[in-house]
Amino acid sequence: MRRAAIKFAFGTAILGGGVTAAAVATSDDPSTTLKICTIVPLRLLRDSFTVASVVADYQYSCWGLKQGSTEWLKAKHEAHERSAYKLQELCFRNGGIYIKLGQHISQLEYVIPEEYVRIMKASMLKRCPVSSYDQIRNVVIKELGGPPEKVFQEFDSKPLASASLAQVHAARTHDGQKVAIKVQHTHLTDTAVADIATVNLIVSFLHWCFPELDYRWLVHEVSESVPKVILDHKNKLLRSKTETSLLEILNFALKELDFLFEARNSLKCMDNFRKLSPHLARNIYAPKVFWNLSTSRILTMEFMDAPEITDVRAIRRLGLEPIDVSKLVSHAFAEMIFKHGFVHCDPHAANMMVRPLPSSKWNIFGKKKPQLILLDHGLYRELNFSTRINYAALWKGLVFADVKAIKDNSIKLGAGEDLYVLFAGVLTMRPWQKVVDPSADHLVIKGNQDDRAELQMYAAQYFPQISELLRRLPRVILLMLKTNDCLRSVNHTLLQGSSLETYFIIGKVASEALADSKRITCEGSAFGMLSFWLEMILVEVRFLCLKIAMHLLQLKKAIDSH
């Protein structure tokens, strides 16, 4: 193992230099290429020595200790923590896509050791790199034709927030409207594709050295987070018969990374709610885009004065209940996934806000209805009809503990006959015996220490199988898993666990989507329509029973708490 680590460090460093030399030699603009390609060997050098250090740490920390012993477990825990901090430092130093990688890791509780999840979760969403005001000013001048102090009546030089791809500043237009300005990090377009390449190289080489560590699926998942235009052009170049240099790929990224694509996604999302989910449309909101002040690298939006979706105290101060917010989030994303087929795939806490529904009146209990504000519309994916319907049928099967439906639809989605049980567990974060338990609350996660310990135990026990499952699943399903993980994390913060009502909503919307698809196929056939309506009555009866069970459980909890 030590030899493999040394081989890895030196091999990647030499390869990084070779990539740079080749790109410079084949480019029509050697000076620009040299400037860009110095990124690759530097990142490879950092990556390789970090990985080598982590491998050596694990080897020597557990040297001579009996696997499973108290001493071994303690040493492994300490090595996990040290290694997680090393990876955190690497992500911060490299920035860009590496921050996205860290964010993904923070949500992979079913694969990654708890120490990595905890350390990444505490840092990756709140401590992203920040571009200097001079850098931001230069972008505004280039994109909008003048400095911020002239283009806007007011412009706050201190960012409100910073993410892996951009940062946000508050400003005021000359007609007095308060806006949020999203400005792309200046280094992003120079590094995005190069970062994908270096991360892919690191993970592939690591798998070659240590076959039991197969995280190649994670690279594909992180790649999906890169704005679609970069990957489209990269894939076109890679599929072409002509030779292409790294500079060509990066130049496409430089030209085509477009915030207007994000703006159009927000319009399409809202349009889908108005047309396909009108009963929910007023409760979902996306900030208005100021098109005359937006370009490929700057997005000017309506300023939203609202708390983050997981700020429970602020939510209560607004007269809202966390359970109502949780139900709205679950309902909104269930509609997107099962009915719209156009899904916001990055719904972590920093990308959602909540406020009382404008113009709504206080009800008799003194509470207002919530309105969900969706931010950062850069990462959407479309589900084709068969994927959407199979995924809906799978979730309906999970809610009703229908073993046949779970198996059949898991296989259709790519899990295979050998891993469908594991797929159900990854989706629900529950062991198989709980997934198929007929009790109403079989999918509910309490979020206590016992649940977390059980989850980590299964993750460790079935690590190779989980890795294989995630490798074989289609990329769009991996993104659904990521979306699922983000929503679970938000609900856990709002409710300190999950709620039966969440699964009731998911099952209900999934069933409605399936019913719509069947109704269309049965039109024109009297027998088919009769069969359809009988099935719908049966589904409604099952949901009525589930709702009664839910209320009985809530009543029991209320009695027990007193």
Side-chain angles (χ1 to χ4, degrees), residues 276 335 338-339 385 388-389 509-523 532 536:
L276 304 175
E335 295 277 335
F338 302 130
K339 292 185 179 180
F385 179 79
R388 179 170 63 85
I389 294 304
V509 177
S511 297
E512 289 170 356
L514 290 169
D516 285 341
S517 67
K518 289 181 180 179
R519 178 178 51 80
I520 293 171
T521 59
C522 290
E523 284 182 352
F532 163 74
M536 284 303 301

Side-chain angles (χ1 to χ4, degrees), residues 4-14 44-45 48-49 52 205:
I6 294 171
K7 176 174 62 176
F8 173 76
F10 283 99
T12 52
I14 291 170
L44 281 172
L45 196 62
S48 59
F49 281 103
F205 200 93

Side-chain angles (χ1 to χ4, degrees), residues 321-355:
E321 281 296 325
I323 182 64
D324 294 331
V325 175
S326 172
K327 288 193 290 186
L328 177 57
V329 170
S330 298
H331 200 170
F333 279 86
E335 295 277 335
M336 276 192 270
I337 293 168
F338 302 130
K339 292 185 179 180
H340 306 177
F342 185 67
V343 187
H344 187 311
C345 291
D346 201 15
H348 60 70
N351 284 342
M352 293 189 286
M353 305 171 85
V354 66
R355 65 182 179 183

Side-chain angles (χ1 to χ4, degrees), residues 373-445:
I373 301 168
L374 295 174
L375 307 175
D376 195 347
H377 297 265
L379 181 59
Y380 274 76
R381 284 297 178 270
E382 295 195 47
L383 303 178
N384 62 39
F385 179 79
S386 62
T387 299
R388 179 170 63 85
I389 294 304
N390 291 336
Y391 196 57
L394 172 58
W395 268 107
K396 180 183 174 184
L398 290 167
V399 170
F400 287 126
D402 184 337
V403 176
K404 185 178 186 304
I406 294 171
K407 180 179 179 180
D408 290 347
N409 290 286
S410 293
I411 292 171
K412 289 177 183 177
L413 291 168
E417 293 196 17
D418 54 333
L419 294 178
Y420 75 90
V421 169
L422 194 59
F423 186 36
V426 167
L427 275 172
T428 62
M429 301 292 251
R430 308 302 287 151
W432 180 248
Q433 61 267 29
K434 290 283 188 181
V435 171
V436 296
D437 189 323
S439 60
D441 62 344
H442 66 292
L443 297 181
V444 174
I445 303 172

